Structure formats: structure tokens, C-alpha cells
Amino acid sequence: MSDRGSRGDEAFASVLVAAQAGASWACTRLWSDYAPAVAAFVSARGSREPDDLTSEVFLVVFDRLAGFRGDAAAFRSFVFSIAYRRLVDELRMRGRRGETVELLAEEDPRRASSAEDEATGRIGDQRALALITALPADQRDVMVLRIVADLTVEQVGEVLGKRPGAVKALQRRALDRLRKKFDATRTPADAANDSE
């Protein structure tokens, strides 16, 4: 292990010990280090209130912090395991109650959009999110945890309760599906630009 990596482990360990002792600065540090990734994960997986859900996740994290043992990688798995379970709870609850969506003027289907609006809607994060959202749920979970949460295959397995081989297989199937969607949208001119 590099000297830099061991210093990072020591820094995390000291923050963890302080947070477990109730130091507010250490809890704030854990929040600021992990909350953005949790919010991105739950948002990408369809949470209607990602900030509220992230707060709920950290209430549980801080409540269970005294019993946590492990390094930074284990803590990341710990946090995302809680985030995944809370997200599943939210999705189940929404499924039971049904969806209620506020109709916004800019989302009114009777409204004619401009060419600029349509072009903007087809690019960037929305396109990537739409592609990932179109994946089957198990593949989508793996991809979001791997890409957004930046978890290893083993950590994703822990969060989802799957073996590493199953996670790898789901990731491979998801990538194959995504590749086929990209291949279908390419034009011969696009293919020529790939080799440049």
C-alpha cells in the first residue's frame, strides 16, 4: 500500500472514531464526503425527493455508527446498503399508493416545444439517465451503484445481496444492452468519426 493510501486510511479512521464519539465536525465530514454520491444514486434510481431520502439514510447511518467496524471501503458499502434499502422502501410505498405527479406548464403534453427544447432534451445527462432507466431493474441497480456510487463489484454484491459473479454478469448484460442501443442510433458518418 502506498504511503498516500495509508494516510488516507488513517485520516478516515480518525474521522470515524471522532464521529462515533459524537464529534459534530466528524459527522459533518462524513456527510459532506458521502451524501453527494448517495443523493446522485437515489436520484438516478428514481427517488422523487432525493435530498429527503439522503437525509433519512444518514439518520440511520449516524444511528448505527457506534456499531460500525471497518475501513473507508467498508463504510462506503455500509452507507450504500442503507441507501439501497431506503430507496426500495420508497419505491414500494409509491407502488402501493400510486403515483401523483404535479403537472408543470413546461411538461404539459399539449404545449408545443421548440426545436431548441427538443434538441436540448436529447443530449447530456437526460439521455444517459434515460438509457440507464430503460435497463431491467437488477441491471440498472448494478450500473448505478458501479458508476454513480463508485462501488466495486464486491461492494455492489454486498449491497444487493448477490455474489460477485452475478454482479459481473448483470453488468456485462447491461453494457451489452446499452451498446446495442448506441449501435442502433449511429449513422455511417458517426462510425467514420470513431476512428479519428
Side-chain angles (χ1 to χ4, degrees):
M1 179 184 293
S2 72
D3 185 42
R4 188 177 187 185
S6 64
R7 276 184 286 182
D9 291 341
E10 290 171 11
F12 172 78
S14 65
V15 170
L16 178 63
V17 168
Q20 288 172 325
S24 61
W25 69 266
C27 292
T28 301
R29 173 82 181 269
L30 292 175
W31 166 268
S32 63
D33 287 351
Y34 294 91
V38 169
F41 165 67
V42 298
S43 179
R45 277 294 285 117
S47 174
R48 294 285 186 237
E49 298 291 336
D51 292 336
D52 290 348
L53 187 56
T54 300
S55 295
E56 288 178 32
V57 167
F58 277 89
L59 287 173
V60 176
V61 167
F62 293 136
D63 187 50
R64 296 182 186 170
L65 197 57
F68 174 78
R69 302 287 176 264
D71 60 4
F75 185 75
R76 192 169 186 81
S77 292
F78 169 71
V79 169
F80 278 95
S81 292
I82 293 168
Y84 179 74
R85 288 186 197 108
R86 291 293 170 167
L87 176 67
V88 168
D89 290 346
E90 178 189 319
L91 296 175
R92 278 189 195 135
M93 189 174 298
R94 270 197 347 236
R96 277 187 239 135
R97 284 195 231 161
E99 289 287 327
T100 57
V101 179
E102 180 182 345
L103 180 60
L104 302 173
E106 56 271 0
E107 295 174 359
D108 187 344
R110 299 168 294 183
R111 177 180 165 259
S113 61
S114 68
E116 181 183 29
D117 288 344
E118 289 182 24
T120 303
R122 292 183 184 151
I123 58 174
D125 292 343
Q126 296 294 26
R127 174 124 166 97
L129 185 58
L131 288 168
I132 290 175
T133 302
L135 292 171
D138 54 353
Q139 293 175 19
R140 182 176 52 231
D141 289 339
V142 167
M143 293 303 291
V144 172
L145 286 168
R146 291 280 290 139
I147 295 167
V148 176
D150 195 29
L151 297 180
T152 65
V153 168
E154 292 76 17
Q155 290 170 324
V156 171
E158 288 176 30
V159 170
L160 299 178
K162 296 185 183 296
R163 293 186 174 154
V167 172
K168 288 179 185 177
L170 288 167
Q171 180 177 309
R172 185 177 54 252
R173 283 188 224 128
L175 290 171
D176 287 345
R177 248 181 216 263
L178 292 172
R179 192 174 296 116
K180 287 176 185 172
K181 287 184 185 228
F182 280 118
D183 288 345
T185 61
R186 283 187 169 176
T187 63
D190 291 338
N193 290 338
D194 286 348
S195 61
E196 293 178 354

